Amino acid sequence: MNLNKKSWIGPALILLGIYLLFFRKEAISAGTLFGNFWPTLFILPLGLFFHWMYFSVTARKATGLLIPGGILFTVGLVCQIATLFDSWQYLWPGFILAPAVGLFEFYWFGNRNKYLLIPINILTVLSLLFFAVFSLGSLYNRLIFGQPVLAIALIAIGAGVMIAPKKRI
């Protein structure tokens, strides 16, 4: 076994062990593996393939390969995390971020056309805005409205109003 095989088998076994330890709900079958790891099996390798072609095969001459590479890699990460943690409702803004990542790689490794920064920044800010709104909104709802904190606060305010001495005019 050469060094290249060892370099990817070790992390793959560690990730599979973590999955079995924390996420195992039913018996492992081909269907559950494909159902839980389809982004890792299909989308992430394709994104890495485009990066490999740019950095190795074309000797950094075909910067256009970085756009689909960055998009597919980002989409693969978003899909994998959302699939494992069932968090699609929070991670969907990653799909808006994906073209920004691909374009940024094209900008960074290409001829640095400053006009590419316009769509990159618009997409990034829009994605971060949606991430913040939906993540913080969910956290706020879970902490304030999902717990009895609001009910206790309303009871305390109501009791304070009832107990407080009334001013005579």
Side-chain angles (χ1 to χ4, degrees):
M1 186 177 280
N2 64 21
L3 186 61
N4 290 337
K5 286 184 182 179
K6 286 183 183 179
S7 65
W8 69 269
I9 288 177
L13 290 175
I14 290 171
L15 290 175
L16 183 62
I18 290 171
Y19 172 74
L20 289 174
L21 188 63
F22 291 112
F23 298 105
R24 186 168 173 226
K25 294 177 185 164
E26 70 266 350
I28 297 280
S29 68
T32 58
L33 284 176
F34 277 105
N36 290 321
F37 295 108
W38 61 269
T40 301
L41 294 172
F42 302 111
I43 298 175
L44 284 172
L46 195 55
L48 291 174
F49 175 73
F50 279 110
H51 284 93
W52 173 74
M53 286 199 40
Y54 171 71
F55 288 109
S56 296
V57 176
T58 65
R60 297 184 178 213
K61 292 181 183 168
T63 54
L65 291 170
L66 293 172
I67 297 173
I71 291 171
L72 287 170
F73 189 77
T74 305
V75 165
L77 284 177
V78 168
C79 289
Q80 186 60 69
I81 294 168
T83 300
L84 286 178
F85 295 104
D86 193 27
S87 56
W88 292 98
Q89 66 270 23
Y90 310 116
L91 293 177
W92 66 266
F95 294 114
I96 298 172
L97 184 64
V101 171
L103 288 172
F104 181 73
E105 287 183 0
F106 181 68
Y107 166 80
W108 190 259
F109 292 105
N111 59 2
R112 300 222 178 172
N113 183 351
K114 66 181 177 181
Y115 295 108
L116 277 173
L117 293 175
I118 295 169
I120 291 168
N121 286 322
I122 290 171
L123 291 169
T124 302
V125 167
L126 192 63
S127 175
L128 293 176
L129 179 70
F130 282 131
F131 270 126
V133 167
F134 284 95
S135 299
L136 294 177
S138 173
L139 185 64
Y140 176 76
N141 286 336
R142 209 173 269 181
L143 292 178
I144 300 298
F145 294 114
Q147 300 293 328
V149 174
L150 181 63
I152 292 170
L154 290 174
I155 291 169
I157 292 170
V161 168
M162 289 175 52
I163 295 174
K166 295 182 182 179
K167 293 183 181 179
R168 293 188 181 229
I169 300 176

